[in-house]
């Protein structure tokens, strides 16, 4: 079957979408829906995102959420995590996702053309919040399901992060790396997993200190 196709990320910076957009400061995780930067819904931006996703199978949208929504998600996920730990499989903090992400989900569906329920990220279930700090990871193992064709994974990163601390998200198949994602604040990743691939989060090393990052997985 030859070498697996390399998946290339296309990053659409919010300032490049439309100079006329404004962050109205509304929308949040409590008392309202989480809101996207409105410029991303403009026809030209949507067309560019759909084209990039069809071509590459993976897109990264920086500055995806409004400032108000990002602040609200920070507040709503600042506490309440439960340690999820199975030796040699995974270790991270987990909590249910209570925020109204319906608008973000419909936006992702408009890009991918799929209304199927979104999938989790390796060992992390869809519709949840995962927090990774020093010593956390997820690993590939025999019980981790492989991706069928056309499975969609989408998640938002809401924290700043030093790449030297680890925590990259990696997809592999048959021992080869297909895709590696870096952790960056306020970025929406939309991934069409390649058939037979599996994903994991690399070990977060001592350089993280007391810092951590959170992933908001859509469902």
């Amino acid at each position: 079957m030859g070498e697996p196709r390399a998946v290339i990320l296309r990053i659409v910076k919010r300032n490049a979408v439309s100079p006329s957009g404004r962050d109205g400061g509304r929308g949040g995780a409590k008392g309202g829906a989480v809101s996207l930067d409105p410029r991303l819904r403009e026809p030209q931006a949507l067309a560019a995102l759909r084209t990039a996703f069809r071509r590459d199978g993976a897109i990264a949208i920086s500055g995806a959420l409004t400032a108000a929504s990002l602040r609200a998600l920070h507040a709503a996920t600042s506490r309440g995590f439960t340690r999820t730990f199975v030796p040699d499989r995974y270790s991270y903090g987990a909590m249910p996702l209570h925020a109204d992400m319906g608008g973000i989900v419909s936006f992702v569906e408009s890009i991918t053309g799929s209304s199927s329920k979104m999938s989790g990220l390796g060992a992390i279930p869809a519709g949840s919040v995962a927090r990774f700090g020093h010593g956390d990871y997820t690993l590939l193992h025999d019980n981790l399901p492989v991706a069928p064709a056309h499975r969609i994974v989408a998640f938002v990163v809401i924290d700043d992060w030093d790449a030297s601390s680890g925590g990259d998200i990696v997809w592999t198949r048959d021992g080869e790396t297909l895709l590696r994602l870096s952790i960056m604040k306020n970025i929406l990743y939309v991934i069409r997993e390649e058939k037979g691939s599996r994903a994991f989060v690399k070990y977060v090393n001592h350089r993280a200190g007391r810092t951590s990052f959170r992933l908001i997985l859509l469902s």
Side-chain angles (χ1 to χ4, degrees), residues 33-50:
V34 175
S35 300
L36 285 165
D37 185 315
R39 289 167 285 190
L40 294 172
R41 295 189 182 276
E42 294 181 2
Q44 184 178 0
L46 281 172
L49 290 167
R50 288 170 182 146

Side-chain angles (χ1 to χ4, degrees), residues 86-105:
V86 175
D88 298 323
R89 290 194 179 184
Y90 49 78
S91 172
Y92 63 94
M95 68 180 295
L97 176 58
H98 298 300
D100 180 359
M101 305 291 286
I104 315 299
V105 170

Side-chain angles (χ1 to χ4, degrees), residues 166-179:
D168 285 358
I169 301 168
V170 181
W171 274 262
T172 68
R173 183 177 59 198
D174 299 329
E176 295 192 55
T177 297
L178 300 177
L179 179 65

Side-chain angles (χ1 to χ4, degrees), residues 24-83:
R26 292 177 292 180
K30 289 186 177 181
V34 175
S35 300
L36 285 165
D37 185 315
R39 289 167 285 190
L40 294 172
R41 295 189 182 276
E42 294 181 2
Q44 184 178 0
L46 281 172
L49 290 167
R50 288 170 182 146
T51 298
F53 185 78
R54 284 196 301 268
R55 180 182 60 235
D56 302 327
I59 54 174
I61 306 170
S62 63
L65 303 183
T66 64
S69 287
L70 192 62
R71 288 193 299 268
L73 280 174
H74 269 277
T77 60
S78 62
R79 62 186 65 185
F81 286 91
T82 300
R83 173 58 47 188

